[in-house]
Amino acid sequence: MGKIIAVANQKGGVGKSTTVVNLAAYLGSRGFKVLCVDSDPQGNCTTGFGIKKKTVNITTYEVVTGKNRISEAIISTDYENVSILPANEQLAGAEIELANMENRMNRLKMQLLNCRDDYDYIFIDCPPALGTLTINALVACDSVIVPMLAEYYALEGLSQLDSTLKIVRNSYNPALSIEGILFTMYDSRLNLSNDVVNEVEKYFPGKVYSTKIPRNVRISEAPSYGQPVMYYDRSSKGSEAYELLGHEMLGEDLKIKKVRRKSIFNFRKSK
């Protein structure tokens, strides 16, 4: 049975889609079967894999509103072992439509039950809001990765998200947990960055990833080419950071992997 992980933060621009695309690509290169669920009407996860949103006929919108089965909507990407449930701007209308539907908070969960056994990991890319689509993801998932910036206002956003997680646990998903808190666009030279990390570690002990994703031009450029960063520039610091995050998620020794960075040189695109 695949592990379902939502990547969520109600603040925009923190690297949710970037994290889904690059973590999925790395795990796929390691031989794990991965499904990415694009639950954001912006469709950044979809375009991040080089898929043109206008060419997709069945999307997350049709799936959560019950117009199509999830098996009819999932498509393969060009990247090894990675598939996607794509999204486009039409998904924005689902927030209104779901309000009048039965089991509106369980729509995505019920669909994922039909394909969960086909994958090792399922990542849900959430929109930058704590609306019905995000709640659907939190109800459907086992755990949550929270990407955040090392800035003061990000602490307030994390507190709000934690309150939402408690509500979802009490009402829908008692097993919901935080998989990890991931600092993105991180600059270790700034005192503020280190202060924020220390503050988060104090309130969420054991939940902050050792791996920090740095500001890196290759990470920013890769989506415009429709490629995960490890395929766009495998020698970049951004690619290395997401590889190390993958190792950390898998419980592997980061000290060894920093010395022996060989796995990113063995990947290939799917035929």
Side-chain angles (χ1 to χ4, degrees):
M1 180 181 292
K3 185 172 187 177
I4 303 177
I5 302 173
V7 180
N9 190 326
Q10 73 272 27
K11 299 184 78 65
V14 298
K16 291 186 293 295
S17 301
T18 299
T19 296
V20 170
V21 168
N22 289 299
L23 191 52
Y26 173 70
L27 292 174
S29 76
R30 289 285 301 274
F32 296 99
K33 292 197 67 177
V34 184
L35 172 65
C36 297
V37 176
D38 195 341
S39 194
D40 185 349
Q42 295 178 82
N44 290 336
C45 184
T46 301
T47 56
F49 283 111
I51 298 168
K52 295 181 179 180
K53 292 179 287 186
K54 292 183 179 180
T55 65
V56 177
N57 296 319
I58 305 175
T59 68
T60 306
Y61 167 76
E62 283 79 16
V63 170
V64 297
T65 56
K67 294 177 174 62
N68 290 90
R69 296 188 298 273
I70 192 168
S71 59
E72 299 173 308
I74 293 173
I75 58 177
S76 297
T77 72
D78 287 336
Y79 303 97
E80 190 173 12
N81 295 317
V82 180
S83 299
I84 188 169
L85 172 57
N88 55 30
E89 62 278 358
Q90 191 177 13
L91 183 58
E95 290 278 358
I96 298 173
E97 292 187 43
L98 287 171
N100 298 316
M101 291 184 175
E102 293 183 4
N103 299 315
R104 63 182 181 275
M105 300 304 184
N106 292 286
R107 309 288 293 191
L108 183 58
K109 178 180 180 178
M110 291 187 291
Q111 290 277 8
L112 287 175
L113 287 174
N114 296 317
C115 68
R116 183 170 186 166
D117 291 341
D118 298 331
Y119 300 95
D120 298 302
Y121 290 94
I122 298 174
F123 292 103
I124 307 174
D125 184 21
C126 298
L130 295 177
T132 306
L133 290 172
T134 297
I135 300 301
N136 260 263
L138 297 178
V139 171
C141 73
D142 301 305
S143 58
V144 187
I145 291 176
V146 185
M148 65 177 290
L149 306 182
E151 298 176 353
Y152 175 75
Y153 287 125
L155 293 174
E156 293 183 342
L158 181 59
S159 177
Q160 293 170 8
L161 179 61
D162 189 46
S163 297
T164 300
L165 295 179
K166 291 176 182 176
I167 293 171
V168 173
R169 284 191 202 102
N170 292 334
S171 302
Y172 302 101
N173 187 359
L176 178 63
S177 64
I178 294 178
E179 181 78 17
I181 298 170
L182 175 67
F183 282 96
T184 61
M185 299 175 237
Y186 186 75
D187 190 340
S188 60
R189 298 170 300 177
L190 302 178
N191 290 333
L192 176 61
S193 297
N194 298 313
D195 290 344
V196 171
V197 170
N198 292 335
E199 192 73 11
V200 174
E201 288 178 336
K202 183 191 304 182
Y203 288 99
F204 298 90
K207 292 298 184 180
V208 178
Y209 286 114
S210 297
T211 303
K212 310 293 189 293
I213 309 300
R215 290 188 181 275
N216 179 253
V217 67
R218 296 306 195 198
I219 293 177
S220 300
E221 290 174 350
S224 65
Y225 291 88
Q227 297 180 354
V229 68
M230 65 180 293
Y231 289 87
Y232 177 64
D233 185 350
R234 64 189 182 188
S235 63
S236 67
K237 290 184 177 180
S239 180
E240 178 182 6
Y242 275 108
E243 181 194 14
L244 291 174
L245 176 62
H247 289 310
E248 190 170 355
M249 272 194 64
L250 296 172
E252 297 172 343
D253 192 329
L254 293 185
K255 291 181 181 178
I256 293 175
K257 296 305 177 182
K258 285 180 180 179
V259 175
R260 293 189 208 163
R261 290 188 60 244
K262 61 182 180 180
S263 63
I264 62 170
F265 296 98
N266 296 327
F267 66 81
R268 60 181 176 78
K269 271 195 175 187
S270 298
K271 298 294 183 183

